[in-house]
Amino acid sequence: MGQEKKDEILSSFDTFKSYLGEKVSKGESLGMNEEQLAKTAQKVADYLAAHEEPRNREEKLLQELWKSGNEEQQHMLAHMLVKMVH
């Protein structure tokens, strides 16, 4: 994904939620179950926490929660993110 597209997605929390919601819907249409979606969301969140600076308060809160949780807690947060955008 190009930097411009990434900047667009991360520019606002609503845009990020909309993008994530589209990807969750696409995953469901491909037959992914909630566990598979959460595992994918967990990989994306790992990447974002390690490589992207938060662009708003909501993203900052998610990053802090992600970094403070252990792997099990991060996995549960990934489930919650999938449910939030579904």
Side-chain angles (χ1 to χ4, degrees):
M1 173 181 304
Q3 186 63 39
E4 188 174 313
K5 180 68 173 170
K6 192 178 346 176
D7 288 342
E8 179 186 327
I9 293 166
L10 297 175
S11 66
S12 79
F13 191 63
D14 287 335
T15 305
F16 171 74
K17 285 189 334 184
S18 177
Y19 177 79
L20 186 56
E22 290 171 14
K23 296 305 176 192
V24 167
S25 293
K26 185 174 184 175
E28 288 177 328
S29 72
L30 295 173
M32 294 176 74
N33 63 31
E34 184 180 336
E35 183 63 23
Q36 292 168 316
L37 292 168
K39 284 181 179 180
T40 302
Q42 191 170 357
K43 289 177 185 177
V44 171
D46 279 339
Y47 172 84
L48 291 173
H51 300 287
E52 294 293 330
E53 284 299 314
R55 314 252 170 103
N56 51 60
R57 294 180 310 216
E58 296 88 354
E59 289 173 8
K60 179 66 174 167
L61 175 60
L62 282 174
Q63 184 185 58
E64 292 297 320
L65 287 169
W66 195 259
K67 288 182 174 182
S68 67
N70 61 31
E71 189 173 344
E72 181 181 344
Q73 292 164 327
Q74 290 172 342
H75 185 70
M76 291 309 301
L77 183 54
H79 273 280
M80 291 168 43
L81 287 167
V82 168
K83 286 184 179 187
M84 178 181 72
V85 299
H86 190 258

